[in-house]
Amino acid sequence: MEIAKTYNHTESEKRLYSQWMQKGFFKSTPDGREPYTIVIPPPNVTGVLHMGHMLNNTIQDVLVRKARMEGKNACWVPGTDHASIATEAKVVAMLKDMGINKTDIGREEFLKYAMQWKDKYGGIILEQLKTLGASCDWDRTSFTMDEGYYQAVIDVFIDLYNKGQIYRGTRMVNWDPKGLTAVSDEEVLHKEVNSKLYFVKYPIAEIEGEYITIATTRPETILGDTAVCVHPDDERYKHLAGKHAVIPMVNRKVPIIFDTYIDLEFGTGALKVTPAHDINDYNLGIKHNLEVIDTLTPEGKLSEAAGFYIGQDRFAVRKQIAIDLEAQGLLVKVEDIKNKVGYSERTDAVIEPKLSMQWFLKMDTVSKPALDNVLNGEVKLIPEKFINTYKHWMENVHDWCISRQLWWGHRIPAWYGPNGKTVVCKTAQEAVALFAAQNITVTEAELRQDEDVLDTWFSSWLWPIAVFDPTIFGKEDKTGNADLQYYYPTNDLVTAPEILFFWVARMIIAGYEYIDKKPFSNVYLTGIVRDKQGRKMSKSLGNSPDPLDLITQYGADSVRVGMLLSSPAGNDLMFDEALCKQGSMFGHKLWNAFRLIKGWEVDDSKTQSEASKTACDWFENRFNEEVANLSDLYSKYRMSEVLMSVYKLAWDDFCSWFLEMVKPPFGEKIDKVTYDKTVELFEGLLKVLHPFMPFITEEIWHTLKERGEDEYIIVAEYPKIIKTNSTLITEFALFEGIVSNVRNIRKEKNISPKETLELAIKGAKDGLSQSWLDLITKLCNLSAINFVTEGLQGMPSFVAGSFECFVPITIEVNAEEELKKLTADLDYTMGFLKSVQAKLANERFVANAKPEAVESERKKEADANAKIKLLEEQIGALK
RNA sequence: GGGAGCAUAGCUCAGCUGGUUCAGAGCAUCUGCCUUACAAGCAGAGGGUCCGCGGUUCGAACCCGUGUGCUCCCACCA
């Protein structure tokens, strides 16, 4: 069979993925095996694959594939999130392009458009994951607004409401004037910006001609001021006790209040108080019983209540009012200032603190088990440094504002009857009954359902439970269906640290609240993907490569390797396309190793040489040694180190050493034993590589030898840890030392690799068997190895282990240079010996250090002495 | 303002409970080679005040203090 000179990833990946699908290898149903479960962090249903997805899904796939090969029942549940704000914004924009206004068509009609949009663009990202090789059980694909899931969310709301954990109240919320909705604290990004600090004079009502000067960055809110506040200890303002200030423009007389909240140093020490538009002012307002005047419309324009600039945007008013105040002689000065301004994560609009009626979830009691079980290690965060952050957040958690003024999402199951009475239940029919129980008579038609939907995270926090059993919520019995019992708690969660609070913490809360069990055992927090200059990858910077382009160009395996070559857990990773290149070169290397082996002709009658046997034994041991090491690295989630170890095992140990050792001379055939063993060893290598490079390993696996119908590497048995023979490893080290020394001499003396050399070894043969000597002969292209009793004067030499080696050559040797080299080596060794001896001469070292440490120093001393002796002999001979 | 983390080769990073054959890896660089699997390769080589300063210790990249420089998270200072 003709094997292509280069591996065609495009053709191969497509074919193999559909074979895997067809064979049902990704599919999982409960059985007697140990389960291994991961639920995907559901991407936005209308999102597209970005580098962050690539990273965490590659890691998940590596974990899942390894678990599957280890014989576990591996289940990776995929799905998407409805992402209310983001998706609604996209649909609104689309409708706008069609000349349709959301409010004109109404809720029902809007949701139809939204569903159409979701059906059209939703799930693109899941298709993209397939090109990456993600081995998800696609039959289990979930969506947070699937019928069952939708009901689960509603059940949870009702249940928590009935438990008294959910309440409705007027609160200062973060209002997004662009998205026209409240957003949670976590969805507000604070950025430092250059602002202006306006100093404005407010006349004192009781004292003609006297003013109090306040400083503000938001002068447009002056119209909503209902007090001026100063510090009770502030000497400058003590005489104003009981007096009133007059708000400019609106001429409202407001009290001057005293509160220690005030910072004496800032501005003028006098604060204008606008309870409707500032959280601190709001709190002051409650404390001092102040009037609340809401001067903003939901769109961020000045409202009727403002009295002036009605209908104008708040930022336009900010400029205008400064001009108008100046004209009235009330603007004292304007200073430049840097301050933090909140922006909406979703729409990038400047957040306005605004009073509104919202639904909240009490967090104090429900979060308790979620905190405890992370602190006690029941749920592990990797890396551990995130435990501190988590703890801090959980201990200072605020009530969660869960309502959003949107239509795309789970509509709040609250019903309003006459007199503003509220009941919470699934249907209008039930609501009527609930009202009836309170002796209130209403008809379904008279009821009004709450217009708002729930925060997206209020649905995704149920993800690890709801994807298996969406019907469990609010039931007495927390056992759940067969899937839930089998797969829950899941094993690993792989996600970005950015959503530790949004999502991870809340899933843990939901887990303990509804199942009394953790949702997962380990949370692997990946880093943020940055470009090589360390900048965060973003659309606006245009520094993010399109992952699909990368896959097209380099192949999925290469991109996976590229991502993982540089991704320590929890640390950001600097992505460089060159790493994908490195990945594809590695694939090329494997392909060539495969071509070499496949190209060998087997001679059944030939017996295996001792040298080949030694080579096979050595690599087998080396491989086993590495399997143990990999297992250790995996257990610590050090993915890039696992990959790098496998990389070196394949490239250096297998290709550069092993294959060269067993390779038959040109024109000769290979014996069957060695050939079969080589194939077997290569298979082992492919297995440990498979989680990282699923496609090329599967491709080689099938072409390497005849396979049965269902014999795929994806389900092959992962190599087990086997005790290694350390003698072979030590012997190899000596062998390697001799080979590279000879190569060095070749290089230094400019001797072509084709020209054969001789090697003379002074001393006994102990330590290296004939097969190792044969291998040295082969790899160094020697004509002979001779054991001698006297050193070869004037010939290039080196010391390896306890061997003194010489390479007799006809080319003239520069004795001076040789001498210099040996002297340098001697100097180093003597210096080393001196430091060792100094240490041993130190009584306190011998007395205090561990016995092993002292013993090791003595061995060093002996070795150094032996080496010095050899070197001195050689130097003596040269002179 | 509070908290966390980081600083080791040109780059990205390892370095476990302190013990100089541990100062390492990969990439990049340089030098030879078109050797019949692979030039997308092979074989070699160079390269570091382990951020500065102090301390603990027989001994410090590692522990402690301090300074500097980055990064991230949290927070209601107008």
Side-chain angles (χ1 to χ4, degrees):
Chain A
M1 178 186 163
E2 190 62 30
I3 295 161
K5 201 155 185 211
T6 52
Y7 166 65
N8 180 346
H9 62 80
T10 316
E11 186 276 328
S12 183
E13 288 175 6
K14 216 174 146 192
R15 173 168 42 81
L16 292 171
Y17 198 87
S18 65
Q19 281 180 29
W20 289 331
M21 287 284 277
Q22 204 191 331
K23 293 269 175 194
F25 290 136
F26 303 162
K27 182 127 193 59
S28 169
T29 45
D31 60 22
R33 291 175 294 166
E34 181 189 343
Y36 176 83
T37 317
I38 294 188
V39 291
I40 204 170
N44 288 359
V45 67
T46 60
V48 289
L49 200 67
H50 65 237
M51 297 306 284
H53 294 126
M54 295 279 287
L55 174 64
N56 76 54
N57 287 299
T58 299
I59 293 169
Q60 289 172 72
D61 198 42
V62 169
L63 295 172
V64 166
R65 283 177 186 272
K66 176 172 172 270
R68 190 181 289 120
M69 292 175 77
E70 283 172 335
K72 293 177 187 159
N73 185 347
C75 181
W76 184 10
V77 182
T80 48
D81 186 306
H82 67 284
S84 59
I85 299 182
T87 307
E88 178 147 335
K90 281 183 189 170
V91 176
V92 167
M94 173 200 74
L95 290 173
K96 206 173 167 188
D97 286 344
M98 293 164 65
I100 302 172
N101 200 331
K102 170 186 158 184
T103 45
D104 292 345
I105 57 171
R107 186 178 198 116
E108 297 299 314
E109 195 69 10
F110 176 82
L111 287 176
K112 268 187 211 161
Y113 279 111
M115 265 304 171
Q116 279 170 19
W117 172 279
K118 179 247 160 187
D119 290 339
K120 189 169 171 190
Y121 300 103
I124 288 182
I125 193 158
L126 299 182
E127 289 306 311
Q128 292 179 323
L129 283 178
K130 292 180 183 171
T131 66
L132 181 66
S135 58
C136 308
D137 182 353
W138 298 106
D139 293 343
R140 292 182 178 273
T141 305
S142 285
F143 174 52
T144 51
M145 274 174 66
D146 284 341
E147 181 53 28
Y149 205 118
Y150 192 104
Q151 288 310 321
V153 174
I154 301 301
D155 286 342
V156 166
F157 184 94
I158 295 169
D159 179 62
L160 289 170
Y161 179 84
N162 290 337
K163 286 177 185 161
Q165 295 295 327
I166 285 180
Y167 63 92
R168 191 172 186 236
T170 307
R171 282 295 175 87
M172 183 65 68
V173 296
N174 306 297
W175 186 261
D176 177 345
K178 210 162 162 184
L180 294 179
T181 179
V183 295
S184 69
D185 291 344
E186 290 74 34
E187 289 166 306
V188 179
L189 300 175
H190 293 274
K191 299 186 206 166
E192 187 159 273
V193 296
N194 293 316
S195 299
K196 296 207 183 303
L197 188 60
Y198 300 85
F199 290 76
V200 182
K201 290 199 293 191
Y202 287 16
I204 303 297
E206 289 82 358
I207 311 171
E208 180 67 29
E210 183 163 346
Y211 298 90
I212 183 165
T213 304
I214 57 87
T216 179
T217 52
R218 297 192 298 157
E220 72 279 7
T221 62
I222 285 173
L223 304 172
D225 284 358
T226 55
V228 170
C229 187
V230 294
H231 198 282
D233 300 337
D234 196 331
E235 294 299 330
R236 294 171 291 184
Y237 304 119
K238 277 204 163 153
H239 65 290
L240 295 177
K243 304 282 191 303
H244 293 78
V246 179
I247 306 302
M249 315 282 301
V250 290
N251 285 323
R252 181 166 46 241
K253 211 173 117 183
V254 302
I256 291 169
I257 59 173
F258 294 82
D259 199 291
T260 50
Y261 160 74
I262 299 300
D263 177 359
L264 289 161
E265 306 298 318
F266 190 89
T268 60
L271 171 75
K272 63 189 272 308
V273 184
T274 325
H277 298 293
D278 186 283
I279 180 69
N280 304 300
D281 294 12
Y282 176 69
N283 292 334
L284 280 173
I286 292 172
K287 198 165 158 189
H288 297 273
N289 204 13
L290 299 174
E291 194 188 344
V292 176
I293 303 173
D294 187 344
T295 58
L296 283 182
T297 66
E299 293 80 17
K301 292 174 180 164
L302 278 277
S303 68
E304 296 280 338
F308 289 83
Y309 315 109
I310 297 164
Q312 294 183 42
D313 185 80
R314 62 200 191 284
F315 295 116
V317 175
R318 184 172 298 174
K319 285 184 187 142
Q320 189 56 43
I321 198 168
I323 295 166
D324 295 345
L325 288 169
E326 171 106 68
Q328 293 175 30
L330 294 176
L331 187 66
V332 180
K333 61 175 174 177
V334 180
E335 282 179 2
D336 288 325
I337 187 177
K338 271 196 199 313
N339 68 337
K340 292 267 181 97
V341 175
Y343 287 80
S344 165
E345 192 192 34
R346 303 288 181 183
T347 66
D348 206 37
V350 172
I351 291 295
E352 293 295 332
K354 194 174 183 313
L355 273 181
S356 66
M357 189 70 108
Q358 303 287 346
W359 290 92
F360 293 88
L361 172 62
K362 285 187 203 163
M363 295 296 274
D364 48 0
T365 53
V366 292
S367 61
K368 187 76 174 54
L371 172 59
D372 295 345
N373 285 291
V374 166
L375 293 185
N376 69 20
E378 178 70 7
V379 176
K380 289 196 183 64
L381 302 187
I382 298 141
E384 285 180 357
K385 66 178 178 184
F386 286 106
I387 293 173
N388 284 325
T389 324
Y390 181 86
K391 178 167 180 270
H392 187 258
W393 189 77
M394 290 297 264
E395 283 174 346
N396 297 288
V397 65
H398 297 300
D399 286 356
W400 176 12
C401 173
I402 53 175
S403 45
R404 295 291 181 275
Q405 289 63 52
L406 302 164
W407 288 343
W408 177 246
H410 309 78
R411 190 169 178 182
I412 293 174
W415 307 84
Y416 304 109
N419 310 321
K421 294 272 187 188
T422 311
V423 295
V424 168
C425 58
K426 275 197 176 173
T427 63
Q429 207 181 348
E430 284 173 40
V432 169
L434 283 173
F435 275 118
Q438 297 177 42
N439 291 322
I440 298 169
T441 316
V442 286
T443 62
E444 285 185 30
E446 286 166 332
L447 287 175
R448 193 172 53 79
Q449 187 180 356
D450 197 297
E451 291 294 328
D452 292 352
V453 299
L454 290 159
D455 180 11
T456 301
W457 302 104
F458 193 84
S459 61
S460 46
W461 74 324
L462 308 176
W463 189 249
I465 304 169
V467 296
F468 297 116
D469 186 355
T471 66
I472 188 150
F473 302 98
K475 284 186 187 162
E476 281 288 315
D477 182 7
K478 295 180 175 181
T479 322
N481 63 12
D483 271 2
L484 192 76
Q485 288 176 46
Y486 184 73
Y487 294 112
Y488 191 96
T490 68
N491 296 74
D492 297 326
L493 179 82
V494 181
T495 192
E498 301 157 320
I499 54 175
L500 184 59
F501 309 127
F502 276 126
W503 192 48
V504 180
R506 287 169 182 162
M507 281 191 287
I508 301 175
I509 293 173
Y512 284 105
E513 181 71 20
Y514 286 102
I515 312 293
D516 285 341
K517 278 186 213 157
K518 61 187 172 184
F520 28 70
S521 302
N522 304 294
V523 181
Y524 177 103
L525 296 150
T526 66
I528 296 166
V529 183
R530 297 174 178 277
D531 65 13
K532 53 181 168 182
Q533 288 151 53
R535 297 175 306 176
K536 199 168 168 172
M537 289 200 168
S538 72
K539 268 190 202 157
S540 52
L541 270 175
N543 59 348
S544 177
D546 182 339
L548 291 178
D549 288 349
L550 291 175
I551 291 176
T552 308
Q553 190 181 348
Y554 299 101
D557 289 335
S558 308
V559 178
R560 292 164 69 111
V561 168
M563 294 296 314
L564 290 189
L565 271 176
S566 68
S567 50
N571 280 341
D572 291 355
L573 87 128
M574 311 296 166
F575 181 79
D576 186 345
E577 207 175 309
L579 293 168
C580 294
K581 178 90 178 146
Q582 194 183 342
S584 76
M585 289 200 276
F586 182 45
H588 184 68
K589 183 74 187 175
L590 293 173
W591 189 253
N592 275 297
F594 160 63
R595 284 178 57 219
L596 173 68
I597 296 168
K598 196 67 191 163
W600 285 340
E601 282 185 77
V602 182
D603 182 345
D604 289 342
S605 63
K606 207 168 177 178
T607 53
Q608 184 185 36
S609 68
E610 280 302 311
S612 291
K613 185 178 184 323
T614 300
C616 292
D617 289 348
W618 164 72
F619 185 76
E620 188 164 29
N621 269 280
R622 174 73 195 95
F623 180 78
N624 288 333
E625 182 184 52
E626 202 51 44
V627 169
N629 180 39
L630 296 180
S631 163
D632 179 55
L633 292 171
Y634 266 119
S635 74
K636 295 170 183 155
Y637 293 83
R638 307 180 84 151
M639 309 305 282
S640 61
E641 286 179 55
V642 173
L643 175 58
M644 186 47 75
S645 300
V646 177
Y647 179 93
K648 285 192 279 189
L649 180 70
W651 201 307
D652 299 340
D653 295 311
F654 188 74
C655 293
S656 298
W657 288 108
F658 174 72
L659 289 180
E660 293 301 329
M661 283 153 89
V662 296
K663 191 187 209 172
F666 183 63
E668 285 184 31
K669 293 184 179 176
I670 191 165
D671 69 272
K672 185 152 169 44
V673 177
T674 306
Y675 182 79
D676 289 347
K677 192 70 191 172
T678 302
V679 168
E680 184 194 317
L681 294 170
F682 193 35
E683 283 177 336
L685 193 59
L686 291 173
K687 286 179 190 173
V688 294
L689 277 163
H690 179 77
F692 296 93
M693 308 178 84
F695 294 107
I696 194 169
T697 50
E698 188 74 88
E699 186 69 52
I700 294 175
W701 177 262
H702 287 281
T703 329
L704 191 59
K705 73 179 201 199
E706 285 292 311
R707 300 285 173 190
E709 181 69 5
D710 293 314
E711 203 186 333
Y712 280 69
I713 197 170
I714 185 177
V715 288
E717 193 187 353
Y718 197 82
K720 293 221 161 55
I721 296 175
I722 293 167
K723 209 173 173 302
T724 54
N725 173 348
S726 60
T727 318
L728 278 165
I729 305 287
T730 322
E731 285 174 357
F732 175 81
L734 182 56
F735 156 80
E736 183 188 21
I738 293 173
V739 172
S740 46
N741 267 301
V742 174
R743 283 173 176 169
N744 242 327
I745 289 170
R746 232 181 231 290
K747 164 94 174 152
E748 273 167 26
K749 306 302 172 201
N750 248 325
I751 303 166
S752 157
K754 287 176 198 160
E755 198 174 325
T756 57
L757 292 174
E758 279 184 22
L759 181 66
I761 300 177
K762 187 183 158 194
K765 277 187 178 185
D766 296 356
L768 279 182
S769 62
Q770 186 58 43
S771 42
W772 284 113
L773 296 175
D774 288 349
L775 290 167
I776 293 171
T777 308
K778 184 170 184 180
L779 266 68
C780 295
N781 192 19
L782 302 179
S783 52
I785 296 180
N786 303 312
F787 281 83
V788 294
T789 45
E790 284 299 315
L792 302 186
Q793 213 170 326
M795 290 301 159
S797 62
F798 59 90
V799 175
S802 55
F803 294 120
E804 199 179 350
C805 307
F806 299 86
V807 178
I809 49 175
T810 47
I811 299 166
E812 200 176 311
V813 172
N814 186 332
E816 227 170 279
E817 250 179 46
E818 206 59 31
L819 200 59
K820 216 165 125 191
K821 230 176 60 190
L822 290 168
T823 315
D825 201 357
L826 182 65
D827 282 352
Y828 174 82
T829 315
M830 285 176 81
F832 174 66
L833 177 68
K834 210 172 147 190
S835 80
V836 173
Q837 284 173 335
K839 198 183 281 184
L840 285 168
N842 187 330
E843 281 170 31
R844 277 182 292 186
F845 170 71
V846 181
N848 300 334
K850 281 179 285 187
E852 305 94 84
V854 179
E855 192 46 48
S856 131
E857 291 306 308
R858 292 207 197 284
K859 173 137 192 345
K860 285 177 196 169
E861 185 189 25
D863 290 350
N865 272 322
K867 187 165 180 186
I868 286 167
K869 194 168 155 252
L870 287 178
L871 286 168
E872 279 173 347
E873 277 175 28
Q874 289 192 12
I875 290 169
L878 268 179
K879 281 175 179 168

